[in-house]
Amino acid sequence: YILLSHGHRDHLDVSSLRKILLYNPTVEILCPLGFKKMLASIGFKKIQEAAWWQQYIVNKLDITFLPAKHWNRRFITDYNKTLWGSFAIKSKNTSLYFAGDTGFDAHFEETHKYFSSFDFCLMPVGAYKPRYIMKWAHVSPEEAVQAFNILHGKIFIPMHYGTFDLSDEPPSEPVKILKHLERENEINGDLEILAVGEEFYIKH
């Protein structure tokens, strides 16, 4: 499965999707509302769209599309014509939260009402400066930790930093802040910082 959180070009890259499809012709995309026509034009045959709080039909897993505080645009005239969001992925023994891109808002509390905790939380921690521009759409590292604590996560895996130059903070700043918060015992779980390209195996 490919889980697509939204349509921004640093998250939905057509050439990358074509390459994945070439080597995985049976792959299925789980995405928000509004992407089916575009993805079908790329060549995908298996596409499931969902609105917030809807569950996808998949085997052996429960995958639910959840809210996020963000926005969408790929071209001049398509502002917010497609949805965006986050994902909860649950097996019999393991649960994972993928936040997508998001600002800090009440959806973290709402998610916690339906999912009491998560074993792994993939949280965005980059593209947050200047705050007066980025705050409504991207959490800071401190806000990501606050959200993780609200979600009662066990392992915090930071993402969405140090790759595309989207904002004013130095690429290395998010990790420095997270390590400081870890030393100050502000993270109510374990911090797992992955190297670029590093694989992380989840034991069932």
Side-chain angles (χ1 to χ4, degrees), residues 57-89:
I57 301 171
V58 299
N59 294 324
K60 298 182 181 179
L61 294 170
D62 292 331
I63 303 181
T64 307
F65 192 58
L66 297 172
K69 184 185 180 185
H70 205 55
W71 62 288
N72 249 332
R73 173 182 277 164
R74 290 182 67 82
F75 306 100
I76 295 176
T77 60
D78 66 342
Y79 180 70
N80 283 352
K81 290 187 176 180
T82 54
L83 193 56
W84 56 88
S86 56
F87 293 87
I89 307 162

Side-chain angles (χ1 to χ4, degrees), residues 1-5 28-32 48 56 58 63 87:
Y1 299 105
I2 297 173
L3 274 59
L4 176 65
S5 62
E28 184 167 1
I29 291 193
L30 309 181
C31 63
Q48 287 190 54
Y56 298 95
V58 299
I63 303 181
F87 293 87

